[in-house]
Amino acid sequence: QVQLVESGGGLVQAGGSLRLSCAASRSIFSINVMDWYRQAPGKQRELVATITSGGNTDYADSVKGRFTISRDNAKNTVYLRMNSLKPEDTAVYYCNAHISGAPYWGQGTQVTVSS
């Protein structure tokens, strides 16, 4: 098991940047896949970015070139750097870890992008 705590959300103007953090309660060294998802009001939760233990990354088309996912195993933390933010990026952002086939979620952090 693991507990995940997201932070770094807030209100930002369009074109601005934020860096989200996801701090884990235990070592993430052995967690093969960690993700960032987001959920906007009235919409389904969608996958934003994925990073494997080997450092391989993947992104939703809507954020490619603007968002960067990274992990610091020494700090048990996964990050999501978000640049060139758009109003449509407004959502609650959730961190997710895959452990033994089960998903573990954080409580989420709100990101609001004003136009």
Side-chain angles (χ1 to χ4, degrees):
Q1 284 188 334
V2 65
Q3 293 182 331
L4 304 172
V5 178
E6 300 95 334
S7 62
L11 174 63
V12 63
Q13 288 188 332
S17 299
L18 285 172
R19 188 181 77 160
L20 305 184
S21 299
C22 170
S25 60
R26 47 152 275 192
S27 172
I28 64 171
F29 180 80
S30 62
I31 300 177
N32 186 41
V33 178
M34 297 194 72
D35 309 305
W36 282 97
Y37 282 74
R38 67 186 180 188
Q39 187 166 19
K43 295 188 177 182
Q44 289 188 329
R45 192 172 295 190
E46 63 172 347
L47 178 62
V48 174
T50 297
I51 188 165
T52 69
S53 56
N56 294 317
T57 59
D58 197 14
Y59 299 91
D61 287 343
S62 59
V63 307
K64 279 182 181 176
R66 299 189 297 122
F67 289 12
T68 303
I69 188 171
S70 61
R71 61 194 289 168
D72 186 336
N73 290 340
K75 295 183 178 180
N76 299 330
T77 302
V78 176
Y79 302 98
L80 185 68
R81 177 68 181 181
M82 306 186 295
N83 295 328
S84 303
L85 283 162
K86 305 175 181 180
E88 51 264 42
D89 295 318
T90 294
V92 178
Y93 284 71
Y94 297 92
C95 181
N96 176 61
H98 300 257
I99 301 175
S100 300
Y104 290 84
W105 297 94
Q107 83 290 348
T109 185
Q110 176 71 46
V111 172
T112 302
V113 184
S114 63
S115 58

